[in-house]
Amino acid sequence: MKTQSLGIGIIGSGFNAGFHLQAFVGVRDATILGIWSPNEKNAAQAAAMARSLEVGETKVYGSIGDMVADPDIEALWLCGPNHARIENIEEIVNAVKRGRGTLKGVACEKPLGRNVAEAERILALVESVGLRHGYLENQLFAPSVTTGRQIIWSRGAALTGRPYLARAAEEHSGPHKPWFWRGSLQGGGVLNDMMCHSVMLVRHLLTPLGAPYSSLKPVRICGQIASLKWTRPEYVDRLSQMMGDGVNYRTEPAEDFASLTIDFKTENGTLAIGEATTSWSFVGAGLRLSAELLGPEYSMQWNSLDSDLKVFLSREVNAKMGEDLVEKQNAEIGQMPVVSNEAAAYGYEAEDRYFVRAFLKDQPPALTFHDGLEVVKLLMAGYLSAERGRTIDFPPDGLDKFVPTVALGTWKPQGW
Ligand SMILES: NC(=O)c1ccc[n+]([C@@H]2O[C@H](COP(=O)([O-])OP(=O)(O)OC[C@H]3O[C@@H](n4cnc5c(N)ncnc54)[C@H](O)[C@@H]3O)[C@@H](O)[C@H]2O)c1
């Protein structure tokens, strides 16, 4: 039997595209044929990386339209910055409308849009040309999450009742590029950047195996945002030095901590609670992803820094800064955890394999832009609750037009 391979083009050529390229090494039925980025140097580097990883004879395209027009490109992975999402999708859709190419589907990184209006527009645009769509949420595919959820639901929940509390957190010491720090570009602070993962993960853990996420209805939400670290005067200056003049947390801060508590109504009308936390003010060995799932007679815990590999490097090892031990590494000596295959451990590999199979079989993925839109609604409701300082019913009125104060560049942290 002939093995089918999905021809993929990647839009964007930064940090996230690099993670996907590494992940595709473990995906047997996909070939990365193209990269497009307005930054030709980045695009050339990403294409060279793809070729050296042997995930495809990857070439750089001159435009998104040209990439869509190539009949060998059957799917696109959208990994550009948040502020380019709409223009990237418009260009894809315009090319398809012109009758070019053989595109089957588009997979989009988080967030689908920077607010509900943007996410709705993106969903409407892809549906207007009948493209399949997949919402990329790697953490749902992390092998530890998949296995833990399977065991808890098939053993603990099956015999003693469904879980009632899920916790999830993504924390690190701050993003790598200036645009993430600027609410007006990125769409918010850490809540908009990273809470999407934890919100989706608590819902995933609390949803019965095989059931749609819609079986768990969010009914109330309580959000808090704060600037704990990066508006301290010494860190304002340090951040400007690291990221350049465009990032000034004295005049235009964004939150570096956020927490959301979501009340869900379960399929049998009971309450299940999701607690999601995220921060850019966590200083540990590096990026920490964690989750818990608790029920009447069981619990599970996942912490990505509890790795099976640790190295010790004495103070005599004066090596340069890097990210070779773990993403967002904060130190290079001492007893250090190492995540040996981050693209697999964080779920990118299983995620990419899943969406490739869905597009090849021309089946709707279990995670679509509808889920991406729902996540954006929850995040915006979180901002609304934080701004009002109280718990709100979900969905609140006016969510479709809401833009967080942080994204308008007018947010002032408490105590300012
Ligand atoms: N799943 C995750 O955990 C995760 C992690 C990191 C980033 N992301 C998401 O992936 C996306 C990219 O993030 P990143 O970390 O790679 O950012 P980055 O800044 O490292 O890279 C962005 C890339 O996009 C290119 N670019 C610039 N303008 C563009 C445009 N108009 N259209 C398309 N590409 C353009 C840049 O040249 C660069 O190569 C973001 O939406 C981000 O939220 C997801």
Side-chain angles (χ1 to χ4, degrees):
M1 197 180 83
K2 187 173 173 289
T3 314
Q4 277 183 294
S5 184
L6 189 76
I8 295 177
I10 295 184
I11 295 175
S13 50
F15 183 76
N16 180 260
F19 253 110
H20 283 291
L21 290 178
Q22 287 167 45
F24 277 113
V25 172
V27 181
R28 69 171 184 275
D29 36 17
T31 313
I32 310 304
L33 295 175
I35 300 270
W36 177 80
S37 163
N39 182 323
E40 285 171 24
K41 194 169 140 241
N42 287 357
Q45 275 171 357
M49 178 182 175
R51 288 192 300 269
S52 73
L53 290 168
E54 299 187 6
V55 293
E57 279 308 312
T58 314
K59 62 179 191 188
V60 173
Y61 285 79
S63 70
I64 292 179
D66 287 350
M67 195 151 74
V68 173
D70 185 336
D72 289 336
I73 300 278
E74 298 163 286
L76 294 176
W77 258 233
L78 198 41
C79 310
N82 300 4
H83 47 279
R85 200 73 91 226
I86 293 216
E87 68 180 55
N88 289 166
I89 290 274
E90 280 175 348
E91 204 172 333
I92 296 168
V93 168
N94 288 339
V96 173
K97 277 190 180 150
R98 288 197 299 271
R100 308 179 77 186
T102 58
L103 207 58
K104 295 183 205 292
V106 180
C108 181
E109 260 302 340
K110 62 82 184 166
L112 188 64
R114 294 177 295 179
N115 49 56
V116 175
E118 281 194 8
E120 280 177 339
R121 174 151 171 73
I122 285 165
L123 172 62
L125 278 167
V126 290
E127 294 209 320
S128 72
V129 286
L131 284 175
R132 291 256 183 244
H133 41 91
Y135 174 60
L136 296 168
E137 177 40 75
N138 55 290
Q139 289 188 32
L140 306 193
F141 296 87
S144 301
V145 168
T146 304
T147 306
R149 176 174 178 250
Q150 174 73 34
I151 292 170
I152 287 290
W153 274 94
S154 58
R155 285 180 172 269
L159 296 176
T160 65
R162 72 163 354 275
Y164 36 65
L165 178 62
R167 299 191 172 111
E170 171 161 12
E171 300 157 290
H172 61 55
S173 53
H176 57 288
K177 283 285 165 71
W179 67 265
F180 283 93
W181 294 90
R182 296 179 58 191
S184 52
L185 287 178
Q186 188 253 106
V190 71
L191 192 155
N192 197 57
D193 180 33
M194 303 205 310
M195 186 66 96
C196 49
H197 299 296
S198 308
V199 157
M200 200 63 221
L201 186 50
V202 293
R203 195 169 190 175
H204 179 65
L205 290 171
L206 288 168
T207 300
L209 298 175
Y213 295 121
S214 58
S215 66
L216 204 67
K217 292 207 179 339
V219 289
R220 261 180 311 280
I221 188 157
C222 179
Q224 184 183 17
I225 59 173
S227 174
L228 300 178
K229 174 174 176 177
W230 293 103
T231 48
R232 289 186 176 194
E234 63 275 31
Y235 285 101
V236 169
D237 292 336
R238 192 181 291 190
L239 185 59
S240 292
Q241 277 160 18
M242 288 185 321
M243 291 292 148
D245 289 343
V247 181
N248 184 345
Y249 270 33
R250 209 163 263 121
T251 53
E252 215 176 298
E255 80 280 359
D256 59 25
F257 167 84
S259 90
L260 290 188
T261 304
I262 307 171
D263 289 0
F264 293 101
K265 195 170 157 192
T266 70
E267 62 291 349
N268 38 27
T270 58
L271 171 70
I273 295 180
E275 282 184 348
T277 337
T278 191
S279 96
W280 289 338
S281 42
F282 168 73
V283 177
L287 169 75
R288 180 171 69 180
L289 311 179
S290 58
E292 294 186 7
L293 182 60
L294 291 81
E297 298 294 338
Y298 52 81
S299 62
M300 69 162 251
Q301 291 93 36
W302 171 52
N303 180 338
S304 62
L305 288 180
D306 286 345
S307 62
D308 58 350
L309 176 63
K310 282 161 191 83
V311 297
F312 178 79
L313 299 161
S314 90
R315 63 175 74 95
E316 300 299 324
V317 184
N318 251 325
K320 60 178 185 348
M321 281 166 52
E323 294 212 14
D324 47 335
L325 309 183
V326 63
E327 182 186 340
K328 304 284 188 294
Q329 189 175 318
N330 281 310
E332 277 70 37
I333 59 169
Q335 172 90 343
M336 296 290 292
V338 180
V339 181
S340 39
N341 183 345
E342 292 182 289
Y346 304 156
Y348 288 92
E349 185 182 295
E351 164 185 77
D352 288 335
R353 186 179 299 121
Y354 173 80
F355 285 103
V356 164
R357 294 309 306 163
F359 290 147
L360 273 176
K361 291 181 187 161
D362 199 20
Q363 284 172 353
L367 266 176
T368 67
F369 284 13
H370 291 282
D371 299 286
L373 169 61
E374 175 87 349
V375 173
V376 173
K377 285 183 180 172
L378 286 164
L379 299 189
M380 293 304 122
Y383 272 115
L384 198 60
S385 161
E387 288 182 14
R388 290 181 183 169
R390 62 178 172 79
T391 302
I392 57 172
D393 289 336
F394 183 86
D397 289 339
L399 204 56
D400 52 336
K401 296 198 172 56
F402 176 75
V403 176
T405 314
V406 187
L408 298 171
T410 53
W411 182 66
K412 294 285 168 275
Q414 225 179 0
W416 270 36

